[in-house]
Structures are given as C-alpha cells and as structure tokens.
Amino acid sequence: MAKRGREERGDAVVNKRLRSEPRDQFSALSDELLLVLLSYLPVHDLTRCEQVLASDSQIWKSAYYDRFVRPRAARIPGIREANALNKSLLYSSKLSKWLEDGPLVKRGGATNWKRQYQLRHNWSRGSCKMTETEIAERPPIPPLLVRLHEGTVITADSTAGLRAWSTRGGESLIATMAWDIRTHSSTAPSSLAIDHSSTTINDMRISVGFLDGSFGLYALDRRKRTLKCQYLHAPSTNGTVSAIAFAFPYLLTMTEAQLLSLYHFPITNDRLGLGQDDLVSPRLLSSLKSHTAWPPLSLAIRSSSTGVSTSIAYAIPTYSAGWSVGLQELRLTTEGTILESRLATPFSHGFKPLAVRASNTQPPAIRLTSPSAKPTSLSYTHPYLLAAYSDNTMTLYMVTSNTQELSIGPGKPLCGHTSSVSGAYVGDRGKAISVSAGGNDLRVWELEGGLVSGGSKGRPFWGDASVAIRPENRDSGDRRNAEQTKVSSSVASTAPDSDMMTSKGWLSFDEEQVVLLGEKSHGSQALVVYSFA
C-alpha cells in the first residue's frame, strides 16, 4: 500500500525553525586583543585552540616564562622581590642571556616556544623515550671514552678509533677515523674532551689524550661527514694523560704523574682553525706538580672578556675526616699571561691553639662523624661542584671564584638514590644528572637556589628535590625484547634490553636528551639515549 502524503492526511504543514548560526565574536577582535585573552587560558586549553591563535609564539613564550623562567628568577639574589618579577621580565633581553634565551638566540632562527614548553614539561616529569645504539661487541681495553655535544656523541677506543654518532634525526654513525700507526705512537686513548666554546653546530673540535703521554687535536665536519687530525703532540715521560679539557685556543691536561699542564695554540685568521689542515705547535704556559690530587678528576676552562680561568677539581684525603674535595685554579689574561694560582678546599686550614680553662668549665662537646668515603665521580661546572659516592648519596659544593677569592662552601648532601651512585654530571645552568651503578635509576636535579634558602640550610636534599627519569617505552620494550632476537651492531633499537648496566658511570646531557654508556651482561656496550623531545 502506497504511503500517503502529508496533504492527503490532512495534517497541517509545520514550518521548521531555522537554527541561527553563532556569530564569530573573536574574528572582529584584533590580533593584539586575542593574544591578551588567550594568555589567560591554562595550558591544557591552549592545546585545544590550535586553529585560533594558540600556536602563536608569544603566547607559548609567556606560558614558558610563567612556569619555568620566573620561578627560577625568584631564586636569584637581588630580584626576589615581587615588584622585580613583573611582566617586564618576560621580554628582558638582559636577564634572558642567563635565564633561557641566550643559547636559543645564539643558534639563530625563530624559537619554537611551544616545543620548548613541551620539552621542559617532559623534563619536569621525567617523561622520555629510550633508545639504544650498540657501539662495541665487547669492552675495549682501555675502556671506551664518550663525550656529548649538541646531539653529537664522540667515542674513542683502541679498536675502532675515533667515531662520531648522531642521536637525532634517525642518523647513527656520522664519521669514523682509525688511528694511523705511522703518525700515532700510541693507539690507546686515555682521555677525551670536546670544545664546547664553538658556536657552529656542523663543525666540532675534539682533543684526545693517550697512554704514552701524547695528545692530539681533531676536527669533525658534519656536512662532509669527515674526521681529520690537525695536531699531534709528542709522547711525554710524565705518564698517561688521565684527564683533558679543551676550549680553543687553550688545552689543559693532567698526567698520571700528577702534572697539570696548560697549553696555548696560536690564533690564526681562522678564529677556530677548523678549516686548517694542520695547527701550529702550542706554547706551554704553565706546568704545576701536585702531590695531593687524586682521581676522580674534573678539568674545566672558563673564558671571559677579561681573562681565562682553568681549574682542576680532585679528591683529597684528609686526616681523621676521610676524603674530601679540592680545587686548584689558574687565572690568566687574554694574552696568556698567568696572574695567579689558587687552591681551595671545603675545610679550613691550620690548627686552633689550646686555651687554659678553669677547673669548673666544662669541655665542649665533641661531635663524632664517620670518615667520608672516596668519591666515585666528580663533576665541576662553575659554580657547582658535585661529588658522587657509593653510599647512595651525592654532595654539592658551591664555589666562589672572583678576582678577590677562591673558596668552596660546605657540602650539601643530595639523597634520593636507592643504590650506589656510579656517575654524576652537572650542567652550566644548575641542572645535574646522576645514575646508579645498575643503570636503572636516573635522576634529574635542579640545583639552583637550594643552598641559598635559609630554611633548608644544613639539611640534605631528599628525593623530592629530584625527578626520576622513567622512559615511557621501557616496560613494553622489555616484554618485546624477551620475544625478539638481539639486533645487529650499529642499529638503533627502540626497545633496549633490560640487562643494561652502566660502564664507569659515564653520562651527559644537553637540552633535549640524556646519554649514558651502558654495558650488557654478555659484554657488549651501547649508547643509551633518553630523549625528552
């Protein structure tokens, strides 16, 4: 039976009410007003407004400074007052050189502030992705050396030579160079350093010390994917180069015989000399002999417009108090003239005289403390000196270095690890990374302001002062690796094996990632990368 129409049924025709389209109130506003309105939204709402103006750089820069920069600036002496933390701080070029903008602007190009916000947010939560790249089938002798700079990892060992690896963009091995026995009297590297003063990303200068006391300088060209030797120093009778620091044109070495030497390379028309085939032999500026500097060691070179400071941090045994730390510093002019050599330790020197007391005077109470163990690692980046120990703790020292004095403040314990701390590294903006001996406990420490607060003076930093790094793909990767075979060497895997352990406690970090050297139970070594981007 055919269906009858509405007219045949006699039903009245009802007109549909048209829905009025909502008016776009925001389109009539200027971009300036939209930026002001959106700046009051919380971050989780900003992420939903991509098609409006939430992707604008100024909005994310304001959110970035409100959460990460302004609280950090509140810990700087002199600008803690409320009136000093107004909105003008958000765009202050003078303060941004120290706070966050300096390294970003130096690289050139526009800063993606949304990406910077996401990066710092992941750091604050310890959220990252873990990958690994196998670099050695078995541990070389002497042990493999590793350094990190701007996403490039440099490795040196007696078997594979000098190699450069990329931890970004899906690349792996960039360049390699075998030791030439015709030019290298020794092919066993003992120390490694990278020149961090270079402002170019594609070019890098590397220094390597060897067991026979010689050292060499090498240049990496990332565009051409080449490594070349620019200078080789003759072997020395002072023993192995156990530590080395490099900031062209200065080179600082420490030998096994505890001889600290400072070299200066002549400056040519090419400021960095990266385009040269060979460098001119350096001039020895100073050589100091020590009888109290014990490993672990940490060498550093700091340059400014007025001069250069080179320093060595070391472990030192003390009577009845166990092990402590010491610091020696050489101050030079920009021309290379030595101004002075200074020493500093956390404890005061000398003895206090005994005074005759009356018979009714009670002797002062004596506080007995257990002797300190020898540090497992030292890391010094002015003004932070960080020592790690095998008793699950670390100690932070604040160093004061100016034209008037060199001093080391009392140590501040850092607690949070549940096993022996095998390595620690402190960066140049108050951030530090530490790793346990098993390699499964990594922590990020924000050191700024911790020793300034009067309320926490004398108290240790506990676990809430650090953030545990917990890769999001660790658990799924462990289950998947139990069913898959191991990947071949030099192939990156997004699911590292669960039997990873650190080797010698080496680790480092930059703005986007943490890199540590790991060793598996069957002996192979790999670079483990924790990416926060």
Side-chain angles (χ1 to χ4, degrees), residues 489-507:
S489 61
S490 301
V491 176
S493 170
T494 58
D497 291 341
S498 60
D499 60 345
M500 184 68 65
M501 60 178 297
T502 57
S503 174
K504 294 188 62 177
W506 179 88
L507 76 162

Side-chain angles (χ1 to χ4, degrees), residues 32-104:
E32 290 76 9
L33 288 177
L34 286 176
L35 290 177
V36 173
L37 293 176
L38 293 176
S39 65
Y40 290 97
L41 292 178
V43 174
H44 66 274
D45 289 336
L46 283 178
T47 58
R48 303 175 183 178
C49 303
E50 288 293 336
Q51 296 181 356
V52 188
L53 275 177
S55 59
D56 189 276
S57 178
Q58 295 301 320
I59 293 180
W60 285 104
K61 182 177 182 179
S62 178
Y64 179 89
Y65 269 60
D66 283 339
R67 179 177 177 184
F68 300 112
V69 178
R70 297 180 69 196
R72 183 183 181 193
R75 298 192 294 265
I76 304 176
I79 63 172
R80 297 187 205 171
E81 296 79 7
N83 56 2
L85 294 176
N86 52 26
K87 284 291 182 180
S88 63
L89 178 62
L90 297 180
Y91 308 101
S92 172
S93 59
K94 182 177 180 181
L95 289 175
S96 66
K97 291 181 181 179
W98 182 84
L99 292 173
E100 285 298 338
D101 282 346
L104 300 176

